[in-house]
């Protein structure tokens, strides 16, 4: 695929062409984001319809006479289960459903056991005190466990359901005189929760499923393109002969904001994607953790781009002739950076190995060496004072840092291709 160079032509026509090229690329990114937002709107409608279907299926426990005579007032628990566990993504619904199933089962069994053991204490008051002590111990212990970060991130909902199920079964069974009544209470609660679980999972997985893994995968490539476009815009503004600082407000920060703020969403999507066993596009052992590492490097690059913009807006901006001195090596580095970013983004989006990774790394290292030569004081001492030298050195240093970070990013994408078994371009 032919790629446009980032090196800007000299003259007014060349600068105009560069601006038009950059404008076209930013328009393409904006169009992609609008299309994604439109898809999200459509998916929200689908999600609402699916929740309605799941609620109707769970309500059959109350609508069908024989089922209602079995469960009676406990039939409402099926509907409540759908309401609290149905999520937008299929993996999130499955994760929450498994948490609820384990929490309900373990809480119900321990609740029954606590009531049965409390019955051995003489007198009704003694049994009540025994159940109260059990509720206190298990409730306090489960609440403390929920506050542990590793448990809170994955099993917080299951811990809450455990406390709820244990307390309800234990408190409801303390007034029962027979063991079979205690077991009946637990089984009815478990049965209605199971009905709600099945209704939610059937609707989420088999009726237009919305996959968290697909969302995480398709949201990664636009981040590469946003960083590439931001880098091009920065270099163009930096080497303008008459730089208007008011026009350099915070464009790159706004462009990089989706990348900088993507950590929480990426972690949630990766967690849900690991539960999506039915997503045939990626398989059971897809390396979702690699997406999190790639996202970390992208956020570091975005932060460096924001730091570059701070250099541009500095009051100690070097003179135009000083900026022209480092223009050629900086544009060489920017060309290597943007080309590599776009190739990596397309590699992930198309699930194909990037065959030019080795060549790209070599070009990045060559650009890095050239830029470091221009960073030396001997190159700048005869054209600028100490303040301008510091500004130029800071700008060049940040560019070299981006080159080093991008080399690590290339390695992470290569490892992702190996683990995920991306296809080669010749296939």
């Amino acid at each position: 695929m032919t790629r446009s160079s980032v090196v800007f032509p000299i003259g007014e026509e060349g600068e105009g062409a560069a601006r038009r090229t950059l404008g076209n690329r930013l328009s393409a990114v904006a169009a992609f984001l609008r299309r994604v937002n439109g898809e999200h709107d459509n998916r929200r409608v689908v999600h609402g319809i699916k929740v309605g279907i799941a609620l109707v299926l769970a309500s059959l426990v109350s609508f069908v006479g024989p089922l209602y005579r079995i469960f009676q007032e406990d039939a409402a628990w099926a509907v409540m289960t759908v309401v609290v566990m149905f999520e937008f993504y299929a993996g999130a619904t499955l994760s929450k459903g498994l948490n609820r199933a384990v929490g309900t089962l373990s809480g119900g069994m321990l609740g029954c056991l606590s009531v049965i053991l409390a019955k051995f204490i003489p007198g009704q008051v003694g049994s009540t005190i025994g159940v109260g002590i059990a509720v206190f111990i298990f409730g306090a212990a489960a609440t403390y466990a929920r506050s542990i970060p590793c448990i809170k991130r994955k099993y917080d909902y299951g811990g809450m359901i455990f406390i709820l199920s244990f307390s309800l079964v234990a408190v409801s069974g303390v007034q029962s005189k027979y063991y079979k009544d205690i077991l009946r209470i637990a089984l009815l609660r478990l049965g209605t929760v199971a009905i709600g679980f099945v209704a939610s999972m059937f609707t989420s997985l088999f009726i237009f499923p919305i996959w968290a893994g697909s969302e995480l995968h398709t949201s990664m490539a636009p981040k590469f393109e946003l960083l590439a476009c931001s880098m091009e815009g920065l270099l163009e503004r930096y080497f303008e002969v008459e730089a208007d600082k008011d026009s350099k407000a915070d464009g790159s920060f706004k462009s990089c904001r989706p990348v900088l703020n993507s950590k929480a969403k990426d972690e949630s999507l990766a967690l849900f994607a690991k539960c999506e066993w039915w997503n045939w596009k990626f398989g059971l052992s897809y390396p979702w953790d690699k997406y999190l590492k790639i996202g970390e490097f992208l956020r570091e690059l975005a932060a460096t781009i924001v730091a570059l913009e701070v250099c541009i807006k500095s009051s100690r901006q070097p003179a135009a002739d000083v900026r022209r001195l480092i223009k050629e090596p900086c544009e060489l580095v920017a060309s290597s950076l943007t080309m590599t970013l776009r190739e990596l983004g397309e590699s992930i989006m198309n699930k194909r190995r990037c065959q030019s990774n080795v060549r790209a790394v070599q070009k990045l290292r060559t650009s890095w060496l050239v830029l470091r030569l221009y960073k030396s004081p001997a190159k700048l001492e005869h054209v600028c004072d100490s303040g301008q030298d510091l500004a130029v050195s800071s700008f060049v240093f940040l560019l070299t840092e981006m080159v080093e970070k991008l080399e690590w990013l290339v390695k992470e994408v290569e490892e992702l291709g190996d683990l995920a078994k991306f296809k080669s371009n010749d296939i």
Side-chain angles (χ1 to χ4, degrees):
M1 181 180 295
T2 303
R3 301 190 179 276
S4 58
S5 175
V6 184
V7 179
F8 305 121
I10 300 175
E12 296 181 355
E13 294 183 358
E15 291 180 358
R19 291 192 183 93
R20 286 193 297 272
T21 302
L22 177 61
N24 292 336
R25 286 173 178 166
L26 290 175
S27 299
V29 175
F32 176 85
L33 294 177
R34 286 195 298 270
R35 180 171 60 84
V36 170
N37 288 332
E39 291 176 355
H40 285 185
D41 291 338
N42 295 334
R43 292 190 302 173
R44 291 190 186 100
V45 175
V46 173
H47 174 66
I49 295 173
K50 289 166 61 176
V51 172
I53 294 174
L55 288 172
V56 171
L57 292 177
S59 300
L60 292 177
V61 181
S62 299
F63 295 161
V64 179
L67 289 177
Y68 182 76
R69 283 192 292 271
I70 296 175
F71 295 102
Q72 297 182 2
E73 66 273 6
D74 289 323
W77 282 81
V79 177
M80 292 173 59
T81 300
V82 173
V83 173
V84 299
M85 71 167 281
F86 207 107
E87 296 289 339
F88 186 77
Y89 298 106
T93 302
L94 180 57
S95 175
K96 210 168 184 180
L98 291 176
N99 270 268
R100 186 174 183 86
V102 173
T104 301
L105 184 61
S106 58
M109 292 177 60
L110 286 175
C112 289
L113 183 61
S114 298
V115 175
I116 292 173
L117 293 178
K119 293 295 182 182
F120 289 98
I121 301 176
Q124 182 66 30
V125 176
S127 299
T128 304
I129 293 174
V131 172
I133 293 174
V135 170
F136 170 78
I137 293 175
F138 283 101
T143 302
Y144 173 78
R146 289 177 62 196
S147 66
I148 300 174
C150 61
I151 296 179
K152 185 176 182 63
R153 185 173 62 254
K154 295 182 179 181
Y155 310 112
D156 181 68
Y157 181 70
M160 182 185 67
I161 295 301
F162 169 83
I163 297 172
L164 179 64
S165 299
F166 177 85
S167 301
L168 288 176
V169 172
V171 172
S172 300
V174 72
Q175 299 296 334
S176 301
K177 297 181 179 181
Y178 303 103
Y179 294 147
K180 64 178 182 179
D181 294 333
I182 301 173
L183 294 175
R184 180 178 178 276
I185 293 173
L187 290 176
L188 287 177
R189 297 280 168 83
L190 183 61
T192 51
V193 169
I195 292 173
F197 175 83
V198 171
S200 299
M201 295 312 305
F202 173 80
T203 309
S204 180
L205 295 177
F206 298 104
I207 301 178
F208 299 106
I210 303 173
W211 305 111
S214 299
E215 172 79 7
L216 178 59
H217 179 78
T218 55
S219 66
M220 191 62 62
K223 296 176 185 177
F224 287 87
E225 182 64 25
L226 280 175
L227 295 183
C229 291
S230 299
M231 191 66 203
E232 290 173 343
L234 273 177
L235 265 293
E236 180 185 358
R237 296 200 302 269
Y238 186 71
F239 292 112
E240 287 177 352
V241 177
E242 296 295 336
D244 182 7
K245 293 183 175 57
D246 294 334
S247 66
K248 302 167 186 156
D250 53 354
S252 293
F253 176 73
K254 291 181 179 179
S255 299
C256 296
R257 186 179 297 171
V259 182
L260 292 171
N261 298 334
S262 63
K263 180 179 176 64
K265 183 178 180 181
D266 288 351
E267 289 180 347
S268 298
L269 290 176
L271 179 63
F272 300 149
K274 295 176 183 178
C275 300
E276 294 176 345
W277 307 324
W278 282 267
N279 193 354
W280 56 270
K281 293 182 179 180
F282 299 99
L284 298 177
S285 58
Y286 198 78
W288 296 113
D289 290 335
K290 277 295 176 184
Y291 282 80
L292 299 182
K293 292 184 179 180
I294 291 173
E296 287 292 337
F297 281 107
L298 289 175
R299 283 186 288 274
E300 291 180 9
L301 286 172
T304 307
I305 290 176
V306 174
L308 282 171
E309 186 171 25
V310 173
C311 290
I312 293 178
K313 297 193 302 183
S314 173
S315 59
R316 294 200 171 191
Q317 188 68 260
D321 56 345
V322 177
R323 280 179 275 140
R324 280 196 296 266
L325 181 64
I326 63 171
K327 181 177 181 180
E328 183 178 352
C330 287
E331 289 178 345
L332 177 63
V333 171
S335 175
S336 302
L337 288 171
T338 54
M339 180 194 69
T340 306
L341 281 170
R342 289 192 171 98
E343 287 184 350
L344 295 178
E346 291 180 4
S347 172
I348 294 177
M349 176 60 74
N350 300 324
K351 298 178 70 173
R352 290 187 175 273
R353 298 179 187 271
C354 188
Q355 299 294 340
S356 59
N357 278 351
V358 176
R359 178 173 55 83
V361 170
Q362 292 175 350
K363 187 175 181 180
L364 283 172
R365 290 176 179 172
T366 302
S367 305
W368 181 83
L369 292 173
V370 173
L371 199 57
R372 286 189 64 87
L373 291 177
Y374 278 81
K375 181 185 171 183
S376 62
K379 288 279 185 180
L380 301 172
E381 62 182 2
H382 65 286
V383 292
C384 58
D385 56 29
S386 59
Q388 291 182 337
D389 182 22
L390 179 61
V392 172
S393 298
S394 300
F395 188 83
V396 174
F397 171 76
L398 290 173
L399 280 180
T400 56
E401 282 291 301
M402 288 192 67
V403 173
E404 293 179 358
K405 288 181 173 64
L406 194 55
E407 286 187 18
W408 286 103
L409 183 59
V410 169
K411 294 179 182 178
E412 291 295 332
V413 175
E414 286 180 341
E415 292 181 7
L416 173 63
D418 294 336
L419 295 174
K421 298 180 173 57
F422 283 0
K423 297 179 180 179
S424 300
N425 287 330
D426 54 353
I427 296 179

